[in-house]
mmCIF file of all heavy atoms in Angstrom:
data_model
loop_
_atom_site.group_PDB
_atom_site.id
_atom_site.type_symbol
_atom_site.label_atom_id
_atom_site.label_comp_id
_atom_site.label_asym_id
_atom_site.label_seq_id
_atom_site.Cartn_x
_atom_site.Cartn_y
_atom_site.Cartn_z
ATOM 1 N N THR A 548 194.081 54.845 223.564
ATOM 2 C CA THR A 548 195.168 55.777 223.858
ATOM 3 C C THR A 548 194.614 57.138 224.278
ATOM 4 O O THR A 548 193.581 57.572 223.782
ATOM 5 C CB THR A 548 196.106 55.919 222.629
ATOM 6 O OG1 THR A 548 197.029 56.965 222.879
ATOM 7 C CG2 THR A 548 195.361 56.210 221.358
ATOM 8 N N PHE A 549 195.311 57.778 225.227
ATOM 9 C CA PHE A 549 194.938 59.155 225.599
ATOM 10 C C PHE A 549 196.173 59.906 226.074
ATOM 11 O O PHE A 549 197.201 59.313 226.388
ATOM 12 C CB PHE A 549 193.832 59.172 226.655
ATOM 13 C CG PHE A 549 194.216 58.583 227.987
ATOM 14 C CD1 PHE A 549 194.771 59.369 228.996
ATOM 15 C CD2 PHE A 549 193.993 57.235 228.260
ATOM 16 C CE1 PHE A 549 195.099 58.837 230.227
ATOM 17 C CE2 PHE A 549 194.315 56.692 229.492
ATOM 18 C CZ PHE A 549 194.872 57.496 230.479
ATOM 19 N N GLU A 550 196.016 61.215 226.078
ATOM 20 C CA GLU A 550 197.129 62.072 226.471
ATOM 21 C C GLU A 550 196.693 62.908 227.663
ATOM 22 O O GLU A 550 195.542 63.329 227.735
ATOM 23 C CB GLU A 550 197.496 62.983 225.300
ATOM 24 C CG GLU A 550 198.767 63.762 225.533
ATOM 25 C CD GLU A 550 199.134 64.559 224.281
ATOM 26 O OE1 GLU A 550 198.622 65.693 224.155
ATOM 27 O OE2 GLU A 550 199.904 64.059 223.456
ATOM 28 N N VAL A 551 197.602 63.122 228.591
ATOM 29 C CA VAL A 551 197.311 64.014 229.716
ATOM 30 C C VAL A 551 198.335 65.144 229.706
ATOM 31 O O VAL A 551 199.542 64.898 229.643
ATOM 32 C CB VAL A 551 197.366 63.258 231.054
ATOM 33 C CG1 VAL A 551 197.218 64.215 232.224
ATOM 34 C CG2 VAL A 551 196.257 62.200 231.115
ATOM 35 N N ARG A 552 197.811 66.379 229.762
ATOM 36 C CA ARG A 552 198.693 67.552 229.786
ATOM 37 C C ARG A 552 198.433 68.321 231.073
ATOM 38 O O ARG A 552 197.280 68.505 231.479
ATOM 39 C CB ARG A 552 198.400 68.460 228.586
ATOM 40 C CG ARG A 552 198.639 67.805 227.242
ATOM 41 C CD ARG A 552 198.502 68.832 226.117
ATOM 42 N NE ARG A 552 197.152 69.354 225.991
ATOM 43 C CZ ARG A 552 196.204 68.803 225.228
ATOM 44 N NH1 ARG A 552 196.465 67.706 224.538
ATOM 45 N NH2 ARG A 552 195.004 69.345 225.153
ATOM 46 N N ALA A 553 199.512 68.722 231.705
ATOM 47 C CA ALA A 553 199.369 69.491 232.939
ATOM 48 C C ALA A 553 200.587 70.391 233.085
ATOM 49 O O ALA A 553 201.573 70.236 232.350
ATOM 50 C CB ALA A 553 199.271 68.550 234.136
ATOM 51 N N ALA A 554 200.507 71.316 234.054
ATOM 52 C CA ALA A 554 201.646 72.195 234.285
ATOM 53 C C ALA A 554 202.884 71.374 234.642
ATOM 54 O O ALA A 554 204.024 71.777 234.396
ATOM 55 C CB ALA A 554 201.312 73.164 235.421
ATOM 56 N N SER A 555 202.645 70.177 235.205
ATOM 57 C CA SER A 555 203.760 69.351 235.659
ATOM 58 C C SER A 555 204.337 68.437 234.570
ATOM 59 O O SER A 555 205.335 67.760 234.803
ATOM 60 C CB SER A 555 203.289 68.494 236.838
ATOM 61 O OG SER A 555 202.096 67.831 236.478
ATOM 62 N N GLY A 556 203.719 68.363 233.417
ATOM 63 C CA GLY A 556 204.265 67.509 232.374
ATOM 64 C C GLY A 556 203.217 67.044 231.383
ATOM 65 O O GLY A 556 202.077 67.534 231.379
ATOM 66 N N LYS A 557 203.638 66.078 230.567
ATOM 67 C CA LYS A 557 202.749 65.580 229.521
ATOM 68 C C LYS A 557 202.940 64.064 229.445
ATOM 69 O O LYS A 557 204.075 63.588 229.476
ATOM 70 C CB LYS A 557 203.151 66.247 228.206
ATOM 71 C CG LYS A 557 202.257 65.943 227.047
ATOM 72 C CD LYS A 557 202.647 66.879 225.906
ATOM 73 C CE LYS A 557 202.100 66.423 224.597
ATOM 74 N NZ LYS A 557 202.485 67.310 223.500
ATOM 75 N N TRP A 558 201.852 63.303 229.374
ATOM 76 C CA TRP A 558 201.931 61.848 229.360
ATOM 77 C C TRP A 558 201.119 61.315 228.186
ATOM 78 O O TRP A 558 200.035 61.847 227.884
ATOM 79 C CB TRP A 558 201.358 61.251 230.640
ATOM 80 C CG TRP A 558 202.127 61.562 231.875
ATOM 81 C CD1 TRP A 558 203.030 60.762 232.498
ATOM 82 C CD2 TRP A 558 202.055 62.769 232.654
ATOM 83 N NE1 TRP A 558 203.531 61.370 233.615
ATOM 84 C CE2 TRP A 558 202.953 62.619 233.743
ATOM 85 C CE3 TRP A 558 201.349 63.972 232.543
ATOM 86 C CZ2 TRP A 558 203.138 63.613 234.694
ATOM 87 C CZ3 TRP A 558 201.528 64.948 233.490
ATOM 88 C CH2 TRP A 558 202.415 64.770 234.556
ATOM 89 N N HIS A 559 201.623 60.287 227.600
ATOM 90 C CA HIS A 559 200.869 59.592 226.559
ATOM 91 C C HIS A 559 200.606 58.183 227.092
ATOM 92 O O HIS A 559 201.549 57.442 227.357
ATOM 93 C CB HIS A 559 201.703 59.548 225.270
ATOM 94 C CG HIS A 559 200.885 59.120 224.111
ATOM 95 N ND1 HIS A 559 200.091 60.006 223.394
ATOM 96 C CD2 HIS A 559 200.677 57.904 223.575
ATOM 97 C CE1 HIS A 559 199.445 59.346 222.454
ATOM 98 N NE2 HIS A 559 199.785 58.056 222.543
ATOM 99 N N VAL A 560 199.351 57.849 227.299
ATOM 100 C CA VAL A 560 199.033 56.598 227.998
ATOM 101 C C VAL A 560 198.244 55.663 227.078
ATOM 102 O O VAL A 560 197.310 56.086 226.394
ATOM 103 C CB VAL A 560 198.190 56.884 229.276
ATOM 104 C CG1 VAL A 560 197.906 55.591 230.030
ATOM 105 C CG2 VAL A 560 198.899 57.883 230.175
ATOM 106 N N ARG A 561 198.669 54.409 227.106
ATOM 107 C CA ARG A 561 197.864 53.364 226.460
ATOM 108 C C ARG A 561 197.423 52.435 227.587
ATOM 109 O O ARG A 561 198.202 51.567 228.020
ATOM 110 C CB ARG A 561 198.690 52.619 225.405
ATOM 111 C CG ARG A 561 198.841 53.438 224.109
ATOM 112 C CD ARG A 561 199.768 52.783 223.129
ATOM 113 N NE ARG A 561 201.126 52.712 223.676
ATOM 114 C CZ ARG A 561 201.958 51.692 223.473
ATOM 115 N NH1 ARG A 561 201.596 50.673 222.739
ATOM 116 N NH2 ARG A 561 203.170 51.693 224.002
ATOM 117 N N PRO A 562 196.208 52.641 228.130
ATOM 118 C CA PRO A 562 195.838 51.949 229.374
ATOM 119 C C PRO A 562 195.902 50.441 229.274
ATOM 120 O O PRO A 562 196.157 49.753 230.262
ATOM 121 C CB PRO A 562 194.413 52.440 229.648
ATOM 122 C CG PRO A 562 193.939 53.075 228.404
ATOM 123 C CD PRO A 562 195.134 53.512 227.633
ATOM 124 N N GLY A 563 195.703 49.881 228.082
ATOM 125 C CA GLY A 563 195.690 48.432 227.964
ATOM 126 C C GLY A 563 197.057 47.830 227.683
ATOM 127 O O GLY A 563 197.208 46.606 227.631
ATOM 128 N N SER A 564 198.061 48.680 227.509
ATOM 129 C CA SER A 564 199.378 48.169 227.119
ATOM 130 C C SER A 564 200.080 47.503 228.306
ATOM 131 O O SER A 564 199.905 47.892 229.460
ATOM 132 C CB SER A 564 200.228 49.346 226.614
ATOM 133 O OG SER A 564 201.582 48.954 226.619
ATOM 134 N N THR A 565 200.870 46.464 228.019
ATOM 135 C CA THR A 565 201.591 45.796 229.106
ATOM 136 C C THR A 565 202.857 46.585 229.469
ATOM 137 O O THR A 565 203.361 46.489 230.576
ATOM 138 C CB THR A 565 201.990 44.364 228.713
ATOM 139 O OG1 THR A 565 202.560 44.403 227.421
ATOM 140 C CG2 THR A 565 200.791 43.436 228.709
ATOM 141 N N GLU A 566 203.367 47.346 228.514
ATOM 142 C CA GLU A 566 204.546 48.186 228.830
ATOM 143 C C GLU A 566 204.029 49.516 229.342
ATOM 144 O O GLU A 566 203.632 50.390 228.585
ATOM 145 C CB GLU A 566 205.382 48.407 227.571
ATOM 146 C CG GLU A 566 206.152 47.177 227.175
ATOM 147 C CD GLU A 566 206.723 47.336 225.774
ATOM 148 O OE1 GLU A 566 207.005 48.474 225.367
ATOM 149 O OE2 GLU A 566 206.857 46.308 225.099
ATOM 150 N N GLN A 567 204.050 49.650 230.651
ATOM 151 C CA GLN A 567 203.397 50.802 231.246
ATOM 152 C C GLN A 567 204.377 51.937 231.508
ATOM 153 O O GLN A 567 205.520 51.724 231.888
ATOM 154 C CB GLN A 567 202.764 50.392 232.579
ATOM 155 C CG GLN A 567 201.770 49.270 232.470
ATOM 156 C CD GLN A 567 200.502 49.717 231.749
ATOM 157 O OE1 GLN A 567 200.301 50.899 231.514
ATOM 158 N NE2 GLN A 567 199.674 48.765 231.379
ATOM 159 N N ASP A 568 203.871 53.132 231.363
ATOM 160 C CA ASP A 568 204.551 54.304 231.900
ATOM 161 C C ASP A 568 204.527 54.149 233.418
ATOM 162 O O ASP A 568 203.486 53.840 233.988
ATOM 163 C CB ASP A 568 203.751 55.554 231.474
ATOM 164 C CG ASP A 568 204.428 56.834 231.908
ATOM 165 O OD1 ASP A 568 204.885 56.885 233.063
ATOM 166 O OD2 ASP A 568 204.484 57.764 231.096
ATOM 167 N N PRO A 569 205.668 54.329 234.108
ATOM 168 C CA PRO A 569 205.664 54.123 235.564
ATOM 169 C C PRO A 569 204.685 55.041 236.296
ATOM 170 O O PRO A 569 204.276 54.746 237.420
ATOM 171 C CB PRO A 569 207.105 54.408 235.981
ATOM 172 C CG PRO A 569 207.752 55.071 234.813
ATOM 173 C CD PRO A 569 206.987 54.699 233.587
ATOM 174 N N ASP A 570 204.310 56.173 235.706
ATOM 175 C CA ASP A 570 203.350 57.062 236.367
ATOM 176 C C ASP A 570 201.912 56.552 236.228
ATOM 177 O O ASP A 570 201.006 57.032 236.916
ATOM 178 C CB ASP A 570 203.431 58.480 235.775
ATOM 179 C CG ASP A 570 204.731 59.160 236.190
ATOM 180 O OD1 ASP A 570 205.226 58.839 237.290
ATOM 181 O OD2 ASP A 570 205.245 59.975 235.406
ATOM 182 N N TRP A 571 201.668 55.665 235.305
ATOM 183 C CA TRP A 571 200.309 55.143 235.080
ATOM 184 C C TRP A 571 200.110 53.877 235.921
ATOM 185 O O TRP A 571 200.831 52.896 235.784
ATOM 186 C CB TRP A 571 200.104 54.824 233.595
ATOM 187 C CG TRP A 571 198.817 54.099 233.300
ATOM 188 C CD1 TRP A 571 198.698 52.855 232.745
ATOM 189 C CD2 TRP A 571 197.480 54.556 233.522
ATOM 190 N NE1 TRP A 571 197.382 52.503 232.605
ATOM 191 C CE2 TRP A 571 196.593 53.537 233.084
ATOM 192 C CE3 TRP A 571 196.922 55.726 234.052
ATOM 193 C CZ2 TRP A 571 195.204 53.648 233.155
ATOM 194 C CZ3 TRP A 571 195.546 55.841 234.126
ATOM 195 C CH2 TRP A 571 194.711 54.813 233.675
ATOM 196 N N GLU A 572 199.118 53.916 236.823
ATOM 197 C CA GLU A 572 198.830 52.763 237.693
ATOM 198 C C GLU A 572 197.476 52.201 237.301
ATOM 199 O O GLU A 572 196.424 52.705 237.726
ATOM 200 C CB GLU A 572 198.843 53.204 239.165
ATOM 201 C CG GLU A 572 200.210 53.691 239.606
ATOM 202 C CD GLU A 572 200.225 54.150 241.059
ATOM 203 O OE1 GLU A 572 199.148 54.199 241.697
ATOM 204 O OE2 GLU A 572 201.318 54.457 241.557
ATOM 205 N N PRO A 573 197.479 51.182 236.458
ATOM 206 C CA PRO A 573 196.202 50.663 235.961
ATOM 207 C C PRO A 573 195.483 49.844 237.033
ATOM 208 O O PRO A 573 196.117 49.307 237.938
ATOM 209 C CB PRO A 573 196.626 49.749 234.810
ATOM 210 C CG PRO A 573 197.997 49.305 235.169
ATOM 211 C CD PRO A 573 198.633 50.435 235.931
#
Side-chain angles (χ1 to χ4, degrees):
T548 172
F549 65 90
E550 189 175 86
V551 174
R552 298 187 294 271
S555 51
K557 185 170 164 181
W558 294 261
H559 192 83
V560 182
R561 283 174 296 144
S564 163
T565 47
E566 286 168 29
Q567 302 290 349
D568 184 316
D570 289 330
W571 172 241
E572 296 179 354

